Amino acid sequence: MDMTTQMKKNLISRIKDSTDLTFLNALQTIFDATEKELFQLSREQQNAIETSRKQIIEGDFRKNEEVLSDMKTWLKKQ
């Protein structure tokens, strides 16, 4: 049994056995919070993310090391 499955079984067992309403409410709050979107993005932001993902898939990007190297070269010329 993998670690994730074992942890889930352990948590389920502990939740079933618990009679502590404060503990159960805290768990409910955690579950509710993880189900909500953390950020509300505008349509423009969503489109920008979608465009960026397509560029990555198509290989239309540069590695960070390349950009840093170009910046250092450019700065030396200034």
Side-chain angles (χ1 to χ4, degrees):
M1 179 180 322
D2 70 353
M3 195 174 220
T4 303
T5 302
Q6 181 60 39
M7 184 176 286
K8 286 179 181 181
K9 286 184 177 189
N10 183 22
L11 289 169
I12 290 168
S13 176
R14 290 176 69 183
I15 292 168
K16 281 183 179 179
D17 294 342
S18 179
T19 58
D20 183 346
L21 188 57
T22 303
F23 170 71
L24 295 172
N25 279 328
L27 285 176
Q28 185 66 52
T29 300
I30 291 169
F31 285 123
D32 290 346
T34 58
E35 292 171 359
K36 295 178 183 172
E37 254 188 79
L38 294 178
F39 300 100
Q40 295 292 332
L41 299 177
S42 69
R43 191 73 199 122
E44 183 178 308
Q45 290 169 319
Q46 291 173 359
N47 289 341
I49 291 170
E50 185 177 329
T51 299
S52 297
R53 287 182 174 156
K54 286 178 184 175
Q55 288 172 326
I56 291 169
I57 290 169
E58 294 169 0
D60 185 17
F61 65 93
R62 295 183 58 209
K63 293 183 180 180
N64 192 50
E65 295 81 16
E66 293 172 6
V67 174
L68 290 175
S69 176
D70 288 351
M71 286 175 47
K72 287 178 185 176
T73 301
W74 181 81
L75 286 171
K76 286 179 184 176
K77 292 178 182 179
Q78 300 304 313

